[in-house]
Amino acid sequence: MRALVQRVLEARVEVDGVAVGQIGRGVLVFLGVRNGDSDEQAELLSRKVVQLRIFPDDEGKMNRSLLEVSGKLLVVSQFTLYGDTRKGNRPSYSEAARPEIANRLYEKFVELCRTKGILVETGRFRAHMNVYLVNDGPVTLLCDTD
């Protein structure tokens, strides 16, 4: 699994012009699921995202986690994180998991984050979405279970 993690002041995701998920201060995660991923990767990645120390402490150092700042989480599925651009100009998505597997693990990741005490909003799986965000910092990290 792969998560593109962005610290945000606010973020929202819309489907057909309607907000389906929206947060204030917190983290926006674009989540990709790869062939061969399992519940184990979902658990590992959810723990990593929730515990990442990317929020400033009283001295301005990135030393606090999403849990410590009572931040919110917006999770958006994005199979293109497994797009392979090494050959030609058209990305190959052969490493991305099939939709039924990806959706189950996407939902599992969301559920696991919620059980850790995080308020989680989501996009809509397989929908065309517009994502709006104010990146704070900017802070953007790529977390991978490989």
Side-chain angles (χ1 to χ4, degrees), residues 39-108:
D39 289 2
E40 183 181 339
Q41 280 82 19
E43 171 61 38
L44 179 73
L45 198 55
S46 68
R47 193 174 338 116
K48 174 64 79 176
V49 167
V50 168
Q51 294 178 358
L52 271 176
R53 297 187 319 169
I54 59 173
F55 292 91
D57 62 17
D58 294 335
E59 296 175 10
K61 290 178 71 175
M62 286 197 289
N63 209 21
R64 291 194 173 140
S65 71
L66 193 58
L67 280 170
E68 292 171 298
V69 300
S70 300
K72 314 273 187 295
L73 180 61
L74 176 59
V75 183
V76 176
S77 63
Q78 190 165 0
F79 76 96
T80 60
L81 286 174
Y82 279 105
D84 184 351
T85 60
R86 291 177 290 181
K87 293 182 183 177
N89 294 318
R90 184 172 185 210
S92 167
Y93 300 105
S94 61
E95 286 189 45
R98 297 191 46 78
E100 58 277 2
I101 295 167
N103 187 36
R104 187 184 73 74
L105 289 173
Y106 166 79
E107 294 293 340
K108 182 72 173 179

Coordinates of all heavy atoms in Angstrom, one line a residue, residues 39-108:
D39 N -4.6 -7.2 4.7 CA -5.0 -6.5 5.9 C -3.7 -6.0 6.7 O -3.8 -5.0 7.4 CB -5.9 -7.3 6.8 CG -7.3 -7.5 6.2 OD1 -7.6 -7.0 5.1 OD2 -8.0 -8.2 6.9
E40 N -2.7 -6.8 6.6 CA -1.5 -6.5 7.3 C -0.9 -5.2 6.9 O -0.5 -4.3 7.7 CB -0.4 -7.6 7.1 CG 0.9 -7.4 7.9 CD 1.9 -8.5 7.6 OE1 1.5 -9.6 7.2 OE2 3.1 -8.3 7.9
Q41 N -0.9 -4.9 5.6 CA -0.4 -3.6 5.1 C -1.3 -2.5 5.5 O -0.8 -1.4 5.8 CB -0.2 -3.7 3.5 CG 1.0 -4.3 3.0 CD 0.9 -5.8 3.0 OE1 -0.2 -6.4 3.0 NE2 2.0 -6.5 2.9
A42 N -2.6 -2.7 5.5 CA -3.6 -1.7 5.9 C -3.3 -1.3 7.4 O -3.3 -0.1 7.7 CB -5.0 -2.2 5.7
E43 N -3.1 -2.3 8.2 CA -2.8 -2.0 9.6 C -1.5 -1.2 9.8 O -1.4 -0.3 10.5 CB -2.7 -3.3 10.4 CG -2.2 -3.2 11.8 CD -3.1 -2.3 12.7 OE1 -4.3 -2.3 12.6 OE2 -2.5 -1.5 13.5
L44 N -0.4 -1.7 9.1 CA 0.9 -1.0 9.2 C 0.8 0.4 8.7 O 1.3 1.3 9.4 CB 1.9 -1.8 8.3 CG 3.3 -1.2 8.3 CD1 4.0 -1.5 9.6 CD2 4.0 -1.9 7.1
L45 N 0.1 0.6 7.6 CA 0.0 2.0 7.0 C -0.9 2.9 7.9 O -0.6 4.1 8.1 CB -0.4 1.9 5.6 CG -0.2 3.2 4.8 CD1 1.3 3.6 4.7 CD2 -0.7 2.9 3.3
S46 N -2.0 2.4 8.4 CA -2.9 3.2 9.2 C -2.1 3.6 10.5 O -2.2 4.8 10.9 CB -4.1 2.4 9.6 OG -3.9 1.3 10.4
R47 N -1.4 2.7 11.1 CA -0.6 3.1 12.3 C 0.4 4.1 12.0 O 0.6 5.1 12.7 CB 0.1 1.8 12.8 CG 0.7 2.0 14.2 CD 1.2 0.7 14.8 NE 0.7 -0.6 14.3 CZ 1.4 -1.5 13.6 NH1 2.7 -1.3 13.4 NH2 0.8 -2.6 13.1
K48 N 1.1 4.0 10.8 CA 2.1 5.0 10.4 C 1.5 6.4 10.2 O 2.0 7.4 10.7 CB 2.8 4.5 9.1 CG 3.8 5.5 8.5 CD 5.0 5.8 9.4 CE 6.0 4.6 9.2 NZ 7.2 4.9 10.0
V49 N 0.4 6.4 9.5 CA -0.2 7.7 9.2 C -0.7 8.4 10.5 O -0.5 9.6 10.7 CB -1.4 7.5 8.2 CG1 -2.3 8.8 8.2 CG2 -0.9 7.2 6.8
V50 N -1.3 7.7 11.4 CA -1.9 8.2 12.6 C -0.7 8.7 13.5 O -0.9 9.7 14.3 CB -2.8 7.2 13.3 CG1 -3.1 7.6 14.7 CG2 -4.0 7.0 12.5
Q51 N 0.4 8.0 13.5 CA 1.5 8.3 14.4 C 2.6 9.2 13.8 O 3.5 9.6 14.6 CB 2.1 7.0 14.9 CG 1.2 6.2 15.8 CD 1.8 4.9 16.2 OE1 2.9 4.5 15.9 NE2 1.0 4.1 17.0
L52 N 2.5 9.6 12.5 CA 3.5 10.4 11.9 C 3.6 11.7 12.7 O 2.6 12.4 12.9 CB 3.1 10.7 10.5 CG 3.6 9.8 9.4 CD1 3.1 10.3 8.1 CD2 5.1 9.7 9.3
R53 N 4.8 12.1 13.1 CA 5.0 13.3 13.9 C 5.3 14.5 12.9 O 6.5 14.8 12.6 CB 6.1 13.1 14.9 CG 5.7 12.1 15.9 CD 6.6 11.9 17.1 NE 8.0 12.0 16.7 CZ 9.0 12.1 17.5 NH1 8.8 12.1 18.8 NH2 10.3 12.1 17.1
I54 N 4.2 15.0 12.3 CA 4.4 16.1 11.3 C 3.7 17.4 11.7 O 3.7 18.3 10.9 CB 3.8 15.6 9.9 CG1 2.4 15.2 10.0 CG2 4.7 14.4 9.4 CD1 1.7 14.9 8.7
F55 N 3.2 17.5 12.9 CA 2.6 18.7 13.4 C 3.6 19.4 14.4 O 4.3 18.7 15.2 CB 1.3 18.5 14.1 CG 0.2 18.0 13.1 CD1 0.1 16.7 12.8 CD2 -0.5 19.0 12.4 CE1 -0.9 16.3 11.9 CE2 -1.5 18.6 11.5 CZ -1.6 17.2 11.2
P56 N 3.6 20.7 14.4 CA 4.6 21.4 15.3 C 4.2 21.3 16.8 O 3.1 21.4 17.1 CB 4.5 22.9 14.8 CG 3.2 23.0 14.1 CD 2.9 21.6 13.6
D57 N 5.3 21.2 17.6 CA 5.1 21.3 19.0 C 5.2 22.8 19.4 O 5.2 23.7 18.6 CB 6.2 20.4 19.8 CG 7.6 20.8 19.5 OD1 7.9 22.0 19.0 OD2 8.5 20.0 19.8
D58 N 5.4 23.1 20.7 CA 5.4 24.4 21.2 C 6.7 25.2 20.7 O 6.7 26.4 20.8 CB 5.3 24.5 22.7 CG 4.0 24.0 23.2 OD1 3.0 24.1 22.5 OD2 3.9 23.5 24.4
E59 N 7.7 24.5 20.3 CA 8.9 25.1 19.8 C 8.9 25.2 18.3 O 10.0 25.6 17.7 CB 10.1 24.3 20.4 CG 10.2 24.4 21.9 CD 11.4 23.5 22.4 OE1 12.2 23.0 21.6 OE2 11.4 23.4 23.6
G60 N 7.9 24.7 17.7 CA 7.8 24.8 16.2 C 8.4 23.6 15.5 O 8.5 23.6 14.3
K61 N 8.9 22.6 16.2 CA 9.5 21.4 15.6 C 8.3 20.4 15.3 O 7.4 20.3 16.0 CB 10.4 20.7 16.6 CG 11.7 21.5 16.8 CD 12.6 20.8 17.8 CE 13.2 19.5 17.2 NZ 14.2 18.8 18.1
M62 N 8.5 19.7 14.1 CA 7.5 18.7 13.8 C 7.7 17.5 14.7 O 8.5 16.7 14.5 CB 7.7 18.3 12.3 CG 7.2 19.3 11.4 SD 6.9 18.7 9.7 CE 8.6 18.5 9.1
N63 N 6.9 17.5 15.8 CA 7.1 16.5 16.8 C 5.7 16.0 17.4 O 5.8 15.2 18.3 CB 7.8 17.2 18.0 CG 8.7 16.2 18.7 OD1 9.0 15.1 18.3 ND2 9.0 16.6 20.0
R64 N 4.6 16.4 16.8 CA 3.3 15.9 17.2 C 2.6 15.1 16.1 O 2.7 15.5 15.0 CB 2.5 17.1 17.7 CG 3.0 17.7 19.0 CD 2.0 18.6 19.6 NE 2.5 19.1 20.9 CZ 2.4 20.3 21.4 NH1 1.8 21.2 20.7 NH2 2.9 20.6 22.5
S65 N 1.8 14.1 16.6 CA 1.1 13.3 15.6 C -0.4 13.8 15.5 O -0.8 14.7 16.2 CB 1.0 11.9 16.1 OG 0.1 11.8 17.3
L66 N -1.0 13.3 14.5 CA -2.4 13.6 14.3 C -3.3 13.4 15.5 O -4.1 14.2 15.9 CB -3.0 12.7 13.1 CG -4.3 13.0 12.5 CD1 -4.3 14.4 11.9 CD2 -4.6 11.9 11.4
L67 N -3.0 12.3 16.3 CA -3.7 12.1 17.5 C -3.4 13.2 18.5 O -4.4 13.6 19.2 CB -3.3 10.7 18.1 CG -3.9 9.5 17.5 CD1 -3.2 8.2 18.0 CD2 -5.4 9.4 17.8
E68 N -2.2 13.6 18.6 CA -1.8 14.6 19.6 C -2.4 16.0 19.4 O -2.6 16.8 20.3 CB -0.3 14.7 19.7 CG 0.3 13.4 20.3 CD 1.8 13.4 20.2 OE1 2.3 13.5 19.1 OE2 2.5 13.4 21.3
V69 N -2.7 16.3 18.1 CA -3.3 17.6 17.8 C -4.8 17.5 17.6 O -5.4 18.5 17.2 CB -2.6 18.3 16.6 CG1 -1.1 18.5 16.9 CG2 -2.8 17.5 15.3
S70 N -5.4 16.3 17.8 CA -6.8 16.1 17.5 C -7.2 16.5 16.1 O -8.2 17.1 15.9 CB -7.7 16.9 18.5 OG -7.4 16.5 19.9
G71 N -6.3 16.1 15.2 CA -6.5 16.4 13.8 C -7.5 15.5 13.1 O -7.8 14.4 13.7
K72 N -8.0 15.9 12.0 CA -8.9 15.0 11.2 C -8.2 14.4 10.0 O -7.1 14.8 9.7 CB -10.0 15.9 10.7 CG -10.7 16.8 11.7 CD -11.7 16.2 12.5 CE -12.5 17.1 13.4 NZ -11.7 17.7 14.5
L73 N -8.8 13.4 9.4 CA -8.2 12.7 8.3 C -9.2 12.6 7.2 O -10.3 12.3 7.4 CB -7.8 11.3 8.8 CG -7.1 10.3 7.8 CD1 -5.8 10.9 7.3 CD2 -6.9 9.0 8.5
L74 N -8.7 13.0 6.0 CA -9.5 12.8 4.8 C -8.8 11.8 3.9 O -7.6 12.0 3.5 CB -9.7 14.1 4.0 CG -10.4 14.1 2.7 CD1 -11.8 13.5 2.8 CD2 -10.4 15.5 2.1
V75 N -9.4 10.7 3.6 CA -8.8 9.6 2.8 C -9.5 9.5 1.4 O -10.7 9.4 1.3 CB -8.9 8.2 3.5 CG1 -8.2 7.2 2.7 CG2 -8.4 8.3 4.9
V76 N -8.7 9.6 0.4 CA -9.1 9.5 -1.0 C -8.4 8.4 -1.7 O -7.2 8.4 -1.7 CB -8.9 10.9 -1.7 CG1 -9.3 10.8 -3.2 CG2 -9.6 12.0 -1.0
S77 N -9.2 7.5 -2.3 CA -8.6 6.4 -3.0 C -7.9 6.9 -4.3 O -8.5 7.8 -5.0 CB -9.6 5.3 -3.4 OG -10.6 5.9 -4.3
Q78 N -6.8 6.4 -4.6 CA -6.1 6.9 -5.8 C -5.2 5.8 -6.4 O -4.0 5.6 -6.0 CB -5.2 8.1 -5.5 CG -4.7 8.7 -6.8 CD -4.2 10.1 -6.6 OE1 -4.2 10.7 -5.5 NE2 -3.7 10.7 -7.7
F79 N -5.7 5.0 -7.3 CA -5.0 3.9 -7.9 C -3.8 4.4 -8.7 O -2.8 3.6 -8.9 CB -5.9 3.0 -8.8 CG -6.3 3.6 -10.1 CD1 -5.5 3.2 -11.3 CD2 -7.3 4.5 -10.3 CE1 -5.9 3.7 -12.5 CE2 -7.6 5.0 -11.5 CZ -6.9 4.6 -12.6
T80 N -3.8 5.6 -9.2 CA -2.7 6.2 -10.0 C -1.4 6.3 -9.2 O -0.4 6.5 -9.8 CB -3.1 7.5 -10.6 OG1 -3.3 8.5 -9.6 CG2 -4.3 7.4 -11.5
L81 N -1.4 6.1 -7.9 CA -0.2 6.1 -7.1 C 0.7 4.9 -7.5 O 1.9 4.9 -7.3 CB -0.5 6.0 -5.6 CG -0.9 7.3 -5.0 CD1 -1.3 7.1 -3.6 CD2 0.1 8.4 -5.1
Y82 N 0.0 3.9 -8.2 CA 0.8 2.7 -8.7 C 1.0 2.8 -10.2 O 1.2 1.8 -10.8 CB 0.2 1.4 -8.2 CG 0.6 1.1 -6.8 CD1 -0.3 1.3 -5.7 CD2 1.9 0.7 -6.5 CE1 0.1 1.0 -4.4 CE2 2.3 0.4 -5.2 CZ 1.4 0.6 -4.2 OH 1.8 0.4 -2.9
G83 N 0.9 4.0 -10.7 CA 1.1 4.1 -12.2 C 2.6 4.0 -12.4 O 3.4 4.7 -11.8
D84 N 3.0 3.2 -13.4 CA 4.4 3.0 -13.8 C 4.7 3.8 -15.0 O 4.1 3.6 -16.1 CB 4.6 1.5 -14.0 CG 6.1 1.2 -14.3 OD1 6.9 2.1 -14.5 OD2 6.4 0.0 -14.4
T85 N 5.6 4.8 -14.9 CA 5.9 5.7 -16.0 C 7.3 5.4 -16.6 O 7.8 6.2 -17.4 CB 5.8 7.2 -15.6 OG1 6.8 7.3 -14.5 CG2 4.4 7.5 -15.1
R86 N 7.9 4.3 -16.3 CA 9.2 4.0 -16.8 C 9.3 3.8 -18.3 O 10.3 4.0 -18.9 CB 9.8 2.8 -16.0 CG 10.1 3.1 -14.6 CD 10.6 2.0 -13.8 NE 9.5 1.0 -13.7 CZ 9.6 -0.2 -13.1 NH1 10.7 -0.6 -12.6 NH2 8.5 -1.0 -13.0
K87 N 8.2 3.3 -18.9 CA 8.3 3.0 -20.3 C 7.2 3.9 -21.0 O 6.0 3.9 -20.6 CB 8.0 1.5 -20.6 CG 9.1 0.6 -20.1 CD 8.7 -0.8 -20.5 CE 9.8 -1.7 -19.9 NZ 9.5 -3.1 -20.2
G88 N 7.6 4.5 -22.1 CA 6.6 5.3 -22.9 C 6.0 6.5 -22.1 O 6.5 6.9 -21.1
N89 N 5.0 7.0 -22.7 CA 4.3 8.2 -22.1 C 2.9 7.9 -21.5 O 2.3 8.8 -20.9 CB 4.1 9.2 -23.2 CG 5.5 9.8 -23.7 OD1 6.4 10.0 -22.9 ND2 5.6 9.9 -25.0
R90 N 2.5 6.7 -21.7 CA 1.2 6.3 -21.1 C 1.5 5.4 -19.9 O 2.1 4.3 -20.0 CB 0.3 5.5 -22.1 CG -1.0 5.2 -21.5 CD -1.9 4.6 -22.6 NE -3.2 4.5 -22.0 CZ -4.1 3.5 -22.4 NH1 -3.7 2.7 -23.3 NH2 -5.2 3.4 -21.8
P91 N 1.1 5.8 -18.6 CA 1.4 5.0 -17.5 C 0.7 3.6 -17.5 O -0.4 3.5 -18.1 CB 0.8 5.8 -16.3 CG 0.6 7.2 -16.9 CD 0.4 7.1 -18.3
S92 N 1.4 2.7 -17.0 CA 0.8 1.3 -16.8 C 0.3 1.2 -15.4 O 1.0 1.6 -14.4 CB 1.9 0.3 -17.1 OG 1.4 -1.0 -16.6
Y93 N -0.9 0.6 -15.2 CA -1.4 0.5 -13.9 C -1.5 -1.0 -13.5 O -2.3 -1.4 -12.6 CB -2.8 1.1 -13.8 CG -2.7 2.6 -14.1 CD1 -3.2 3.1 -15.3 CD2 -2.2 3.5 -13.2 CE1 -3.1 4.5 -15.6 CE2 -2.1 4.8 -13.4 CZ -2.5 5.3 -14.7 OH -2.4 6.7 -14.9
S94 N -0.7 -1.8 -14.0 CA -0.7 -3.2 -13.8 C -0.4 -3.6 -12.3 O -0.8 -4.7 -11.9 CB 0.2 -4.0 -14.8 OG 1.5 -3.6 -14.6
E95 N 0.3 -2.7 -11.6 CA 0.6 -3.0 -10.2 C -0.5 -2.7 -9.3 O -0.6 -3.2 -8.1 CB 1.9 -2.2 -9.8 CG 3.2 -2.8 -10.3 CD 4.3 -2.1 -9.7 OE1 4.3 -1.9 -8.4 OE2 5.3 -1.7 -10.4
A96 N -1.5 -1.9 -9.7 CA -2.6 -1.5 -8.9 C -3.6 -2.7 -8.7 O -3.8 -3.5 -9.6 CB -3.4 -0.3 -9.5
A97 N -4.1 -2.8 -7.5 CA -5.0 -3.9 -7.2 C -6.3 -3.8 -7.9 O -6.7 -2.7 -8.3 CB -5.3 -4.0 -5.7
R98 N -7.0 -4.9 -8.2 CA -8.3 -4.9 -8.8 C -9.3 -4.1 -7.9 O -9.1 -4.1 -6.7 CB -8.8 -6.3 -9.1 CG -7.8 -7.0 -10.1 CD -8.4 -8.4 -10.6 NE -9.8 -8.3 -11.0 CZ -10.2 -7.9 -12.2 NH1 -9.4 -7.4 -13.0 NH2 -11.5 -7.9 -12.5
P99 N -10.3 -3.5 -8.5 CA -11.2 -2.6 -7.7 C -11.8 -3.3 -6.5 O -11.9 -2.7 -5.4 CB -12.2 -2.2 -8.7 CG -11.5 -2.3 -10.1 CD -10.6 -3.4 -9.9
E100 N -12.2 -4.5 -6.6 CA -12.9 -5.2 -5.5 C -11.9 -5.4 -4.3 O -12.3 -5.3 -3.2 CB -13.6 -6.5 -5.9 CG -12.7 -7.5 -6.5 CD -12.5 -7.3 -8.0 OE1 -12.9 -6.4 -8.6 OE2 -11.7 -8.2 -8.6
I101 N -10.7 -5.7 -4.6 CA -9.7 -5.9 -3.6 C -9.3 -4.5 -3.0 O -9.2 -4.3 -1.8 CB -8.5 -6.6 -4.1 CG1 -8.9 -8.1 -4.5 CG2 -7.3 -6.6 -3.1 CD1 -7.9 -8.8 -5.3
A102 N -9.0 -3.6 -3.9 CA -8.6 -2.2 -3.5 C -9.7 -1.6 -2.6 O -9.4 -1.0 -1.6 CB -8.3 -1.3 -4.7
N103 N -11.0 -1.7 -3.0 CA -12.0 -1.1 -2.2 C -12.1 -1.7 -0.8 O -12.2 -1.0 0.2 CB -13.4 -1.3 -2.9 CG -14.5 -0.5 -2.2 OD1 -14.3 0.6 -1.6 ND2 -15.7 -1.1 -2.2
R104 N -11.9 -3.0 -0.7 CA -12.0 -3.7 0.6 C -10.8 -3.2 1.5 O -11.0 -2.9 2.7 CB -11.9 -5.2 0.5 CG -12.1 -5.9 1.8 CD -11.9 -7.4 1.7 NE -10.5 -7.8 1.5 CZ -9.6 -7.8 2.5 NH1 -9.9 -7.4 3.7 NH2 -8.4 -8.2 2.2
L105 N -9.6 -3.0 0.9 CA -8.5 -2.6 1.7 C -8.5 -1.1 2.0 O -8.1 -0.7 3.1 CB -7.2 -3.0 1.1 CG -6.9 -4.5 1.1 CD1 -5.7 -4.9 0.3 CD2 -6.7 -5.0 2.5
Y106 N -9.1 -0.3 1.1 CA -9.3 1.1 1.4 C -10.3 1.2 2.6 O -10.0 2.0 3.5 CB -9.9 1.7 0.1 CG -10.5 3.1 0.2 CD1 -9.8 4.2 0.3 CD2 -11.9 3.2 0.3 CE1 -10.3 5.5 0.4 CE2 -12.5 4.5 0.4 CZ -11.7 5.6 0.4 OH -12.3 6.8 0.5
E107 N -11.4 0.5 2.6 CA -12.3 0.6 3.7 C -11.7 0.1 5.0 O -12.0 0.6 6.0 CB -13.6 -0.3 3.3 CG -14.4 0.3 2.2 CD -15.1 1.6 2.5 OE1 -15.2 2.0 3.7 OE2 -15.4 2.3 1.5
K108 N -10.9 -1.0 4.9 CA -10.2 -1.5 6.1 C -9.3 -0.4 6.6 O -9.2 -0.2 7.9 CB -9.4 -2.7 5.7 CG -8.6 -3.4 6.8 CD -9.6 -4.1 7.7 CE -8.9 -4.9 8.8 NZ -9.8 -5.5 9.7

